[in-house]
Amino acid sequence: MTWWCTGIRWKGSAPVIGWYGQGRGERVSTPAYGQRLAFVARGERHCLGVWRAGKRTPCPASAIVPGRGGSAQCPECARLDRSFSVAADTNAADPRTYRVYLAWFGPGMVKVGITAEERGSARLLEQGAMSWTWLGRGPLMATRRTEELLRSALGVPDRIAYARKRAVRAHLPGAPERAREVTELHGRAAALAGWPESLERLGCEVADHAAVFGMDGWEGLPAPDRVVAEMAADRAVVGRLVGAAGPDLHFEDGLVVDTRLLAGWELAAPDEGAVTSVPVAQIPSAAAPPMEQDGLF
């Protein structure tokens, strides 16, 4: 029975790699920083269907999807996924409590967002936020209005291209400076008029993910300088894992593996002596804003 990779999930404060076997359900494996990882893609990349409320519905067409795309879904499954999505504003009646957050990814790179309170900080880990704080909690639409308030009044975006986050990750200032920018923006947000009455405001308590992401052990290693551009059949990745942030696995030699590209593939152990053979793209320097491509970079 084939197990297809579903990419990284964050469980607690640790990354886990998900696997799906049709008719067998889900399982995870937990990589450790310092561990040697080696895998090769086999066969074709399959649509993973729709994941909703902790349950996966298989793709009815058993579709094959391109190796370069950031999503392991066919167009029909992607459409169904977004038809009941808070992120796509197609589930406005969600009764759960939500939280508004500020997430810091690099100097001048702070975004506002919302997440279901029951998920804790998982959304911040998934996005690769280095530092962050809560702003408030309340009903979904109140948190949406607060998000819009910050966008319009302070010019804080609700999206930052992932390539921009990756490009600055190896050149970040220390934790005090990261916290200072988040704290200052929290103060500016708190001073705004027009907050929804149904939103409970939360004080600024900055959390930092550098240790969780393994960045404390990066000193002396090559800076991340290239990223896997595409997975393809019989192409391998081999190296020592030194960290993870968002969907990215960071290897000792500077290679970054975006696990969104692994989703939908069967991954197997490569032949002895195998080396990395997947297509890679250079990561632009922090001074050169990277080009977005296919919604992936």
Side-chain angles (χ1 to χ4, degrees):
M1 171 63 70
T2 299
W3 288 93
W4 294 323
C5 181
T6 59
I8 274 187
R9 295 203 296 268
W10 287 83
K11 189 175 182 180
S13 294
V16 298
I17 299 177
W19 306 92
Y20 168 64
Q22 193 162 340
R24 301 179 69 180
E26 312 276 333
R27 65 180 178 89
V28 298
S29 56
T30 306
Y33 300 153
Q35 174 185 358
R36 181 181 180 272
L37 294 183
F39 52 84
V40 62
R42 297 296 190 201
E44 295 178 294
R45 190 185 191 195
H46 291 257
C47 173
L48 291 174
V50 177
W51 175 263
R52 183 180 297 166
K55 182 179 180 181
R56 189 178 306 278
T57 301
C59 175
S62 298
I64 303 300
V65 295
R68 187 176 179 83
S71 171
Q73 285 182 313
C74 68
E76 180 63 17
C77 286
R79 184 189 66 78
L80 289 172
D81 209 17
R82 293 183 66 81
S83 69
F84 196 76
S85 167
V86 169
D89 286 329
T90 53
N91 188 24
D94 191 326
R96 294 176 295 174
T97 297
Y98 276 78
R99 289 199 175 209
V100 190
Y101 61 81
L102 290 172
W104 186 97
F105 302 94
M109 293 170 57
V110 183
K111 63 156 283 187
V112 61
I114 69 171
T115 185
E117 184 172 70
E118 64 193 40
R119 298 199 68 214
S121 63
R123 183 66 180 145
L124 286 305
L125 292 163
E126 291 167 354
Q127 294 185 51
M130 287 297 171
S131 298
W132 60 277
T133 186
W134 300 121
L135 276 169
R137 62 186 296 273
L140 172 59
M141 296 314 295
T143 58
R144 276 292 191 217
R145 288 195 294 272
T146 305
E147 190 180 39
E148 179 57 32
L149 174 66
L150 266 66
R151 286 204 303 264
S152 60
L154 300 180
V156 182
D158 64 343
R159 299 174 189 272
I160 295 177
Y162 205 83
R164 293 185 61 205
K165 306 175 191 179
R166 185 181 291 129
V168 302
R169 190 173 292 148
H171 311 284
L172 298 179
E177 186 172 339
R178 299 198 290 266
R180 182 163 54 251
E181 190 168 351
V182 176
T183 301
E184 289 174 355
L185 189 56
H186 186 284
R188 292 173 60 200
L192 292 173
W195 282 60
E197 293 184 2
S198 57
L199 192 88
E200 176 189 349
R201 300 196 189 199
L202 298 174
C204 184
E205 297 182 6
V206 180
D208 196 273
H209 282 159
V212 173
F213 291 159
M215 288 183 58
D216 290 350
W218 287 7
E219 187 174 351
L221 295 176
D225 62 357
R226 62 200 191 285
V227 60
V228 172
E230 178 182 4
M231 285 302 295
D234 303 320
R235 297 296 187 97
V237 172
V238 180
R240 187 171 74 90
L241 183 68
V242 294
D248 287 348
L249 298 177
H250 285 263
F251 285 73
E252 184 179 39
D253 62 357
L255 179 68
V256 180
V257 178
D258 185 336
T259 61
R260 292 174 295 182
L261 289 171
L262 304 184
W265 284 102
E266 177 188 2
L267 301 179
D271 295 335
E272 186 175 351
V275 297
T276 296
S277 58
V278 292
V280 299
Q282 291 299 122
I283 297 176
S285 68
M291 297 291 289
E292 294 187 46
Q293 189 172 10
D294 296 337
L296 177 62
F297 298 117

